[in-house]
Amino acid sequence: MTKNILISGASVAGPALAYWLHRYGFTPTVVERAPGLRGGGFAVDFRGDVHLRVLREMGILDEVRRRQTNMGNQVVVDADGGQLAKLPASFMSGDVEIERDELSRLLHERTRDHTEYLFGDSIASMTEDADGVRVCFEHGEPRTFDLVLGADGLHSNVRALAFGPESRFIRFLGYYVAGFEMPNFLGLDHTGLMYNVPGLGVNVGSAGGKTDGGFVFPSEELDYDRRDLDAQKQLVARRCAGAGWEVPRLLEAMWAAPEMYFDSISQVRMPSFQRGRVALVGDAGYGATLGGLGTGTAMVGAYVLAGELAVAHGDHRVAFPRYEERMRGYAEGCQKLAEGAGPFLAPPTRFKIWQRNQMYKALSWRRLAGVFDKMTTKAARNITLPDYRPAPRSAVPRESA
Ligand SMILES: Cc1cc2nc3c(=O)[nH]c(=O)nc-3n(C[C@H](O)[C@H](O)[C@H](O)COP(=O)(O)OP(=O)(O)OC[C@H]3O[C@@H](n4cnc5c(N)ncnc54)[C@H](O)[C@@H]3O)c2cc1C
């Protein structure tokens, strides 16, 4: 019987998987390359009853609500700070919004007593045979696991080791995004501000005592060291040079920030989410970067993958294909939503900025906002979640709406 499962990545998908696997009687171990839980990044949101059901069944919905940002409206401003358009809260923040690192902390709190976390390490190699996967770590002693699950994000290590180089699976959508924590020098209170010049989107939001700043810009694919924060900040600073409004102060704040999320807007397109004793979950398997409900999809993916393993009594040959079958269409639907995120957040011309703002204005009409909410929520709800139960061998999952 499958028992020992190694998960790579301790952000959202990894700890969520650890939660469910433990609940179904497996023994999860999580390896995370960073020395501890990573901070930084924007707030993430959950939309619609499927997301909320997963949070509820994990017993964390109330806690997520308690820690939610309660972000209000977002205002589009001109170079003098004058209001151009206003966006209703649900547009950016869904049904419930929480800082990504806060969610990660919460999931870690709920799993750390029964999950071995190996921080500051990474899988160096994996060799699979009929009995398991022999894993060599960069630092720790080699160990054998029954299964290895990659929850290590857009640039997944497990995916590279099991499936091949990421250039084969990542579709670059032509934009980059940077996000960092900053002082609230604009005095915002549960509101966000957005500013644009052609080819640059600037965003500041403050809620729950935390203020995030961010930039989105179109670019050729950039060659940079993902571990070199200074080099990434330089790239961002160059792209923002000469932009007005509060951008110079935002750049100062960026330079002072100890951490920054910086990545391309890209999508992961895998011909298969699983190979042998290895499967991918969350961004590693079907990431969408911005606007693709990535966090909710990762939580749903963890629920389905662990549930399928439970009802198949750990037989990955049964569970993995079922997981893939249930998740593929759902994940692809959410990815589709994200395709327009870059041009929407950083329109390339003045005319396109104006057009986008007109659309924002229209969204503040209640009825249209409702139509838009329904569109995004439709993708987030587009899966029938089985009611998994740790059950006797003959059991099959019960379908529920
Ligand atoms: C610090 C951070 C900030 C983010 N900020 C944003 C943001 O501002 N906007 C946005 O759209 N999305 C952001 N994301 C991505 C967002 O969290 C995901 O889209 C979503 O939550 C799905 O999560 P995931 O767990 O699948 O992947 P991720 O959240 O990307 O987590 C992957 C985890 O794997 C770890 N990891 C990577 N390589 C290895 C390795 N070799 N060995 C072990 N562990 C490894 C990473 O350190 C990370 O903890 C951020 C992710 C991180 C880690």
Side-chain angles (χ1 to χ4, degrees):
M1 155 92 182
T2 297
K3 201 77 185 139
N4 294 309
I5 300 182
L6 178 65
I7 300 163
S8 175
S11 171
V12 174
L17 261 175
Y19 171 86
W20 287 111
L21 289 173
H22 167 74
R23 203 159 134 181
Y24 294 137
F26 300 103
T27 308
T29 299
V30 179
V31 59
E32 162 63 51
R33 191 179 56 197
L37 290 180
R38 293 178 58 185
F42 295 119
V44 295
D45 61 80
F46 296 100
R47 287 168 198 254
D49 53 1
V50 167
H51 288 179
L52 297 182
R53 175 176 158 195
V54 170
L55 296 177
R56 191 177 301 110
E57 290 201 16
M58 292 178 83
I60 59 169
L61 179 58
D62 289 346
E63 193 56 27
V64 168
R65 285 202 169 120
R66 212 177 58 73
R67 300 187 194 195
Q68 71 179 303
T69 61
N70 283 313
M71 180 56 96
N73 294 332
Q74 309 256 336
V75 178
V76 185
V77 295
D78 62 21
D80 301 317
Q83 178 175 320
L84 295 172
K86 196 164 161 184
L87 269 168
S90 64
F91 183 83
M92 300 294 260
S93 311
D95 288 318
V96 56
E97 184 186 68
I98 181 170
E99 293 290 340
R100 187 207 60 85
D101 51 3
E102 189 68 39
L103 176 67
S104 187
R105 259 197 304 280
L106 171 59
L107 293 169
H108 179 248
E109 280 163 25
R110 296 293 167 103
T111 51
R112 66 185 168 202
D113 291 343
H114 51 70
T115 299
E116 183 187 12
Y117 276 88
L118 308 170
F119 284 106
D121 212 341
S122 171
I123 301 172
S125 68
M126 307 190 289
T127 320
E128 182 173 332
D129 63 25
D131 300 322
V133 187
R134 182 78 176 152
V135 174
C136 291
F137 293 97
E138 280 178 7
H139 302 294
E141 290 298 309
R143 285 165 67 172
T144 299
F145 295 89
D146 296 309
L147 303 174
V148 175
L149 306 178
D152 41 9
L154 202 61
H155 307 289
S156 168
N157 180 41
V158 168
R159 190 182 61 222
L161 292 171
F163 297 84
E166 72 174 42
S167 55
R168 285 178 23 206
F169 309 115
I170 290 201
R171 197 172 138 225
F172 173 58
L173 296 185
Y175 285 78
Y176 281 83
V177 54
F180 50 90
E181 200 172 334
M182 55 177 267
N184 188 10
F185 58 72
L186 293 170
L188 302 176
D189 179 14
H190 295 92
T191 46
L193 298 178
M194 297 167 76
Y195 170 73
N196 284 93
V197 289
L200 178 67
V202 186
N203 199 293
V204 192
S206 188
K210 189 168 176 272
T211 307
D212 295 325
F215 300 107
V216 177
F217 56 84
S219 168
E220 307 274 284
E221 209 158 352
L222 299 169
D223 187 18
Y224 64 95
D225 180 350
R226 230 170 259 124
R227 297 184 196 198
D228 185 345
L229 192 57
D230 261 19
Q232 294 168 29
K233 288 180 175 176
Q234 264 159 27
L235 280 170
V236 175
R238 269 202 298 277
R239 296 305 300 230
C240 297
W245 188 55
E246 295 283 352
V247 172
R249 280 215 284 173
L250 260 126
L251 286 173
E252 273 174 40
M254 176 193 76
W255 279 110
E259 294 181 273
M260 180 172 87
Y261 173 77
F262 181 69
D263 216 324
S264 60
I265 300 192
S266 295
Q267 298 200 348
V268 177
R269 296 289 170 96
M270 296 300 296
S272 172
F273 300 160
Q274 32 105 16
R275 173 171 285 178
R277 291 175 175 272
V278 175
L280 303 173
V281 67
D283 277 13
Y286 31 82
T289 323
L290 217 57
L293 309 165
T295 304
T297 313
M299 300 281 285
V300 171
Y303 173 90
V304 174
L305 178 52
E308 291 298 341
L309 278 166
V311 294
H313 305 283
D315 187 344
H316 64 282
R317 290 161 304 185
V318 175
F320 284 179
R322 282 195 194 148
Y323 157 67
E324 169 133 17
E325 198 182 312
R326 289 192 189 279
M327 279 304 291
R328 180 166 286 281
Y330 178 65
E332 284 174 0
C334 295
Q335 284 186 320
K336 227 180 178 76
L337 270 187
E339 279 169 6
F344 204 71
L345 292 167
T349 61
R350 283 192 191 286
F351 176 68
K352 294 233 167 191
I353 294 173
W354 176 84
Q355 248 183 347
R356 195 273 326 262
N357 288 347
Q358 294 306 107
M359 203 202 117
Y360 278 174
K361 277 187 192 159
L363 279 175
S364 52
W365 304 336
R366 204 173 267 241
R367 215 179 271 169
L368 261 182
V371 172
F372 179 83
D373 280 352
K374 269 205 189 115
M375 256 163 57
T376 46
T377 308
K378 195 172 159 201
R381 298 175 70 221
N382 192 24
I383 187 169
T384 304
L385 284 186
D387 205 356
Y388 296 113
R389 299 267 156 90
R393 271 189 178 278
S394 58
V396 289
R398 264 197 304 128
E399 298 289 335
S400 74

